[in-house]
C-alpha cells in the first residue's frame, strides 16, 4: 500500500453532491482525540480508500455515542446523544455503519434499535476478515517468525457479541507465531477500562484488574499484544 496522503470524504459534502456512500465510517471519540487510536482511524481510512470502498465520515457532525454516559448511570444524557445521532443517520439516509471501537459497535447494534435506529452495524475487524476471506484483501506475513503475538479479547466484541474468530483470522494473515493467553475467548478477563471505568479512579481492592490481565499476557512470552479496543 502506498504511503501517500488521502482525502477523507465527509458525509455533508458527499451528500450535497447527490451521492450516498455505502458506509458511514464512525471514527468515535478515541479515534478522534486519543493520539494512539488516531493512528488506527488513519490506517483504516487508508484501507477503505485502497479497497475503493464507498464511505464517508461525519467530521464535525460526529458526537459521542453516549455509551460512557449510560455505563456511568446518566441515562438522560445517553438518550439525548443517541437520539441526536439517530436523527443525523436519518438525515443522511445511513444504512450501514462501520466502527473501530467495540463500545460504539455494541451500543449501535444492540441498544440504539430501542430508540428507533435501523442501521446495520459492522465492526472493522469483521469487515477486514470478510475482505481477507473473499480474497479482496491479501496480506503477506508481515511479522518475523521470531515475533510472538498474543491477543486480548475485548469484552464488547467477545462476550457481548461473540466475535472471536474474525480477529484471529486477521492476526493469522500477518503472522504464524500466535499464542493464546490462558484466559481467552469467552473466558477472557476484562482489561478493567470498560463500562466508563477508564474515566474514574480505581475502587478499593487488593489488585487492579488490568494488572491481572497484564500478567496473563506476560505469561505467553509474547512481544506483541494485539487487541481491537481503544480502552485496552
Amino acid at each position: 500500500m502506498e504511503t501517500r496522503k488521502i482525502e477523507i470524504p465527509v458525509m455533508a459534502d458527499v451528500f450535497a453532491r447527490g451521492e450516498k456512500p455505502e458506509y458511514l465510517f464512525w471514527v468515535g471519540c478515541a479515534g478522534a482525540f486519543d493520539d494512539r487510536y488516531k493512528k488506527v482511524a488513519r490506517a483504516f481510512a487508508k484501507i477503505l480508500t485502497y479497497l475503493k470502498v464507498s464511505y464517508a465520515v461525519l467530521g464535525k457532525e460526529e458526537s459521542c455515542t453516549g455509551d460512557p454516559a449510560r455505563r456511568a448511570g446518566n441515562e438522560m444524557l445517553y438518550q439525548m446523544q443517541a437520539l441526536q445521532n439517530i436523527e443525523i443517520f436519518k438525515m443522511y439516509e445511513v444504512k450501514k455503519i462501520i466502527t473501530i471501537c467495540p463500545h460504539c459497535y455494541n451500543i449501535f447494534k444492540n441498544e440504539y434499535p430501542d430508540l428507533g435506529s435501523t442501521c446495520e452495524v459492522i465492526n472493522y475487524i469483521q469487515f477486514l476478515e470478510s475482505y481477507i476471506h473473499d480474497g479482496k484483501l491479501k496480506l503477506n506475513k508481515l511479522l518475523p517468525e521470531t515475533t510472538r503475538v498474543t491477543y486480548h479479547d475485548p469484552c464488547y466484541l467477545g462476550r457481548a457479541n461473540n466475535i472471536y474468530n474474525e480477529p484471529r483470522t486477521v492476526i493469522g494473515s500477518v503472522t504464524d507465531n500466535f499464542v493464546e493467553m490462558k484466559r481467552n475467548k469467552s473466558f477472557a478477563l476484562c482489561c478493567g477500562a470498560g463500562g466508563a471505568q477508564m474515566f474514574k479512579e480505581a475502587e478499593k481492592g487488593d489488585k487492579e484488574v488490568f494488572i491481572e490481565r497484564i500478567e496473563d499476557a506476560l505469561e505467553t512470552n509474547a512481544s506483541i499484544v494485539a487487541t481491537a479496543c481503544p480502552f485496552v
Side-chain angles (χ1 to χ4, degrees):
M1 194 183 305
E2 295 181 10
T3 55
R4 57 185 177 82
K5 287 186 178 180
I6 60 172
E7 187 172 337
I8 306 298
V10 178
M11 188 65 78
D13 299 334
V14 174
F15 206 75
R17 296 197 298 265
E19 302 171 15
K20 296 178 185 178
E22 182 178 3
Y23 298 98
L24 167 63
F25 170 24
W26 184 269
V27 177
C29 299
F33 297 111
D34 181 76
D35 287 340
R36 184 182 64 165
Y37 222 64
K38 285 177 186 177
K39 297 175 184 178
V40 176
R42 291 191 190 104
F44 188 62
K46 287 181 179 179
I47 292 171
L48 291 174
T49 302
Y50 174 78
L51 294 173
K52 295 181 172 57
V53 174
S54 171
Y55 80 99
V57 301
L58 286 175
K60 293 181 179 180
E61 289 187 284
E62 183 178 300
S63 178
C64 180
T65 63
D67 176 78
R70 183 170 234 196
R71 301 294 167 246
N74 194 333
E75 180 68 15
M76 184 178 73
L77 177 58
Y78 157 67
Q79 291 200 21
M80 288 172 60
Q81 291 181 302
L83 290 170
Q84 175 180 303
N85 290 330
I86 291 170
E87 285 306 308
I88 290 176
F89 298 160
K90 290 178 180 177
M91 180 174 69
Y92 289 125
E93 300 178 28
V94 174
K95 304 297 182 187
K96 299 178 182 178
I97 303 173
I98 301 178
T99 71
I100 56 173
C101 172
H103 295 261
C104 297
Y105 171 78
N106 180 72
I107 204 161
F108 279 154
K109 183 176 185 292
N110 297 320
E111 299 177 29
Y112 266 46
D114 292 339
L115 298 176
S117 177
T118 58
C119 299
E120 178 184 352
V121 188
I122 304 149
N123 181 266
Y124 76 124
I125 298 298
Q126 294 173 303
F127 182 88
L128 292 174
E129 191 275 337
S130 68
Y131 269 72
I132 292 170
H133 179 270
D134 294 340
K136 297 177 182 177
L137 180 60
K138 297 181 180 180
L139 301 174
N140 298 320
K141 300 295 182 180
L142 302 176
L143 297 174
E145 293 183 6
T146 54
T147 302
R148 178 175 289 188
V149 180
T150 191
Y151 173 68
H152 166 78
D153 287 280
C155 300
Y156 281 86
L157 277 192
R159 290 189 298 278
N161 289 287
N162 202 36
I163 299 176
Y164 296 116
N165 295 327
E166 292 91 331
R168 288 167 172 80
T169 297
V170 175
I171 293 170
S173 67
V174 297
T175 182
D176 289 323
N177 194 352
F178 172 72
V179 60
E180 293 279 11
M181 295 190 208
K182 64 182 180 182
R183 287 181 278 200
N184 61 77
K185 297 185 177 179
S186 63
F187 296 100
L189 187 66
C190 175
C191 74
Q197 294 297 305
M198 71 173 297
F199 301 108
K200 60 186 284 293
E201 296 299 324
E203 297 173 12
K204 292 182 180 180
D206 296 328
K207 182 192 256 185
E208 291 196 46
V209 173
F210 79 89
I211 296 294
E212 184 85 8
R213 192 53 170 161
I214 288 171
E215 290 174 352
D216 285 353
L218 291 174
E219 285 181 13
T220 67
N221 290 318
S223 54
I224 293 177
V225 178
T227 188
C229 180
F231 294 163
V232 177

